[in-house]
Each structure stands twice: as structure tokens, then as C-alpha cells.
Amino acid sequence: MQQAIAVLDSGVGGLTVIKEVMRQLPQEKVIYFGDTARSPYGPRPAEEVRAFTMQIVDYLIQYDPKMIVIACNTATAAAIKEIRTHVSIPVIGVISPGVRAAIKSTRSGVVGVIGTEGTIRSRAYEQALMSISPSIQVFSEPCPLLAPLVEKGLFGEDRTQSVVEQSLRKLIGKPIDCLILGCTHYPFLAKEISRVMGPHVAIISSADETAREISTILSDRGMLATSGQLPIHQFFCSGEPELFKQIAKDWLKEQMFIVPVVWQVPRII
Ligand code: DGL
């Protein structure tokens, strides 16, 4: 049986990462866990996010994955170190890939970061950006209302645009030339965000660079899928599956015709 790449998030956000994984690595099987019953993670203390992440990893490890992708910035900031010591397979998060993409993109060296309260509070982006480029200037802004909107499927609507405008107001007029979407839910709102920030601000999602990192790690270790058959992906969510399924179908539409979704809802308390 083909070993899968296990991907987790607090909800539908990690779908923005697996869409890119499926595009760049179509032979790879993905097992995805969205912790929709306990989303959002953003307002929760880091300790709690760490415990939830550990619990999901323990659940996914039963499926013998070859790699774990923490496709949630909040969980990456809170738990990646512990998860790396907890399992013996490669574990990657989404913060370093997002940072690399921003460093490649910025010309002015002035970068914006938006994320959940937990991610912004952790200062993980500032630290990672400055470790590569010490002179970089960073403007960070928590946007607590955005991930819950996406989780409810409310994107592409007028009222969403005004919430996005409100959330980004402190960044408007700042001399940034790129904005890191430091929450995997935000690519669902990329159009709305770009409309507010204007054409001179590049919108950076970590999905593309994360998929590239997965590819490099698997290739270096000789672990890329070799079967000529297209994989059957598996999706799990801890909450009510209907809305999750609808959002996944709409977002992954290109792949959906080859992706039968197997719903097994683990009981998590
Ligand atoms: N998608 C998540 C992230 O990248 C978290 C959203 C949330 O649950 O608050 O941080």
C-alpha cells in the first residue's frame, strides 16, 4: 500500500496547501485531518494548540504516513518542535516556506504578515524572517475574524469584503511590498485581501513553497511515490462533515473527479 503524506489543520485551511501538493505531486496520496470541531485555534493558548496537534498526529500516525505536514501556522508556531521529537518521520510546517517565499518576493525589505492571534503573538514570522535577513522590517497584524469566516464558507461575498477591509486597516499605507498570508485559511480570501492592499503589494501564500519543500525532502530520501496510478486521498474532520465536504469539493474541484472522499469522523473530546 502506498504511504501517504499526512496533512493537518484546525479546519479547511490546510486544503489550500494540499491543492498545491496535488498539483505539484499528483502521484502522492494525501490523508487530511481538519479539526473542525475545535476550530479556530487562533484564540487558544499555545499549550492547548500543542496538545490538540499532538492528538491529531497520534491519530494520523496509525495510517503509517511517510511525512507529516502541519498545514496550520498556529499549530506550527505552537507545536512543530515537540512533534518533531515525538515522531520519527519528517515533519514540516508552513512558516519557513512562507518566509522563504516572502524573502524571494520583497524588493523593499519591508514585509507585512497577517495571521491568527496565536501566530502573531508567537512572533514566529519576525524571528524566521530576521534570521534570514536581519535588516528586514516587519509589520504584523492579527486578523481574528478571517479564519472563522472561511470556516463558515463565507468568501466571495460583499460582507466578507468589509470584514477584510476592517481587519487590514492598520496595514494600509504601510510601506510594505509583500504581505504574507500567515494563516492557511487566508488564500480563500486572496482576492478580497488583494483588493484592499492594492496591486503594488504581492500576496504571499506558503502553499507553493511548502509543496516544493515536500517534494525536495521526499526526493532526497528516495520516498517519492512511484506507482503510475492516481492515488485515492482520504479526508477526516472532527466536526460536522457536510460544510467541510462542500468547501473541499469547491476548492479542490479540478481534482475532485479523481478524489473519492472517505469520511470517517474520529471522536475527539
Ligand atoms: N489555518 C490556521 C493557521 O494557519 C488557523 C486558523 C484558526 O484555526 O484559527 O493558523
Side-chain angles (χ1 to χ4, degrees):
M1 204 185 68
Q2 186 187 342
Q3 273 186 298
I5 300 168
V7 182
L8 66 96
D9 179 49
S10 62
V12 297
L15 298 172
T16 62
V17 176
I18 63 166
K19 183 169 183 159
E20 196 50 35
V21 173
M22 290 170 177
R23 192 185 71 76
Q24 291 186 30
L25 299 165
Q27 306 225 55
E28 296 296 335
K29 174 182 162 101
V30 171
I31 54 175
Y32 182 90
F33 192 108
D35 196 6
T36 46
R38 300 186 294 195
S39 174
Y41 279 8
R44 296 180 184 275
E47 264 309 304
E48 190 173 34
V49 173
R50 204 170 298 137
F52 289 177
T53 310
M54 195 68 91
Q55 191 182 18
I56 298 169
V57 167
D58 283 340
Y59 179 82
L60 289 170
I61 221 78
Q62 299 173 80
Y63 292 87
D64 189 28
K66 56 184 171 185
M67 174 179 224
I68 291 182
V69 180
I70 307 178
C72 173
N73 292 265
T74 316
T76 301
I80 192 163
K81 282 197 199 112
E82 285 74 8
I83 301 298
R84 282 192 170 133
T85 60
H86 185 64
V87 296
S88 53
I89 53 176
V91 178
I92 69 165
V94 279
I95 293 181
S96 304
V99 162
R100 281 199 303 275
I103 298 273
K104 277 187 207 162
S105 163
T106 184
R107 294 285 162 265
S108 65
V110 188
V111 170
V113 181
I114 51 173
T116 66
E117 305 98 299
T119 300
I120 300 302
R121 204 185 322 117
S122 77
R123 301 182 59 82
Y125 272 100
E126 273 98 332
Q127 285 160 11
L129 283 160
M130 283 173 184
S131 72
I132 299 178
S133 176
S135 61
I136 208 156
Q137 203 185 343
V138 186
F139 290 95
S140 303
E141 203 46 50
C143 298
L145 301 179
L146 300 188
L149 275 184
V150 172
E151 219 39 62
K152 291 190 191 96
L154 298 174
F155 28 92
E157 298 192 9
D158 288 349
R159 56 189 162 145
T160 310
Q161 184 67 48
S162 66
V163 179
V164 171
E165 264 165 42
Q166 267 301 317
S167 304
L168 298 180
R169 71 189 184 286
K170 289 193 183 145
L171 288 176
I172 295 166
K174 294 281 188 299
I176 59 175
D177 68 352
C178 72
L179 178 66
I180 302 177
L181 304 185
C183 170
T184 52
H185 282 70
Y186 300 170
F188 282 98
L189 300 167
K191 270 198 206 115
E192 289 89 336
I193 291 170
S194 183
R195 217 173 283 144
V196 175
M197 297 311 296
H200 56 287
V201 177
I203 304 298
I204 309 288
S205 136
S206 56
D208 185 51
E209 197 69 24
T210 303
R212 222 165 298 158
E213 182 171 344
I214 294 170
S215 168
T216 306
I217 292 174
L218 293 181
S219 151
D220 286 352
R221 295 174 185 233
M223 289 165 77
L224 281 168
T226 47
S227 128
Q229 283 173 1
L230 287 175
I232 296 175
H233 307 293
Q234 277 180 293
F235 293 81
F236 303 92
C237 69
S238 54
E240 199 281 308
E242 270 320 303
L243 186 55
F244 179 92
K245 190 172 177 176
Q246 194 51 51
I247 295 173
K249 258 190 175 163
D250 291 348
W251 184 253
L252 302 174
K253 49 183 164 300
E254 286 170 42
Q255 290 86 4
M256 251 5 208
F257 69 101
I258 56 152
V259 181
V261 179
V262 177
W263 292 108
Q264 299 173 25
V265 186
R267 267 192 290 277
I268 289 189
I269 359 151

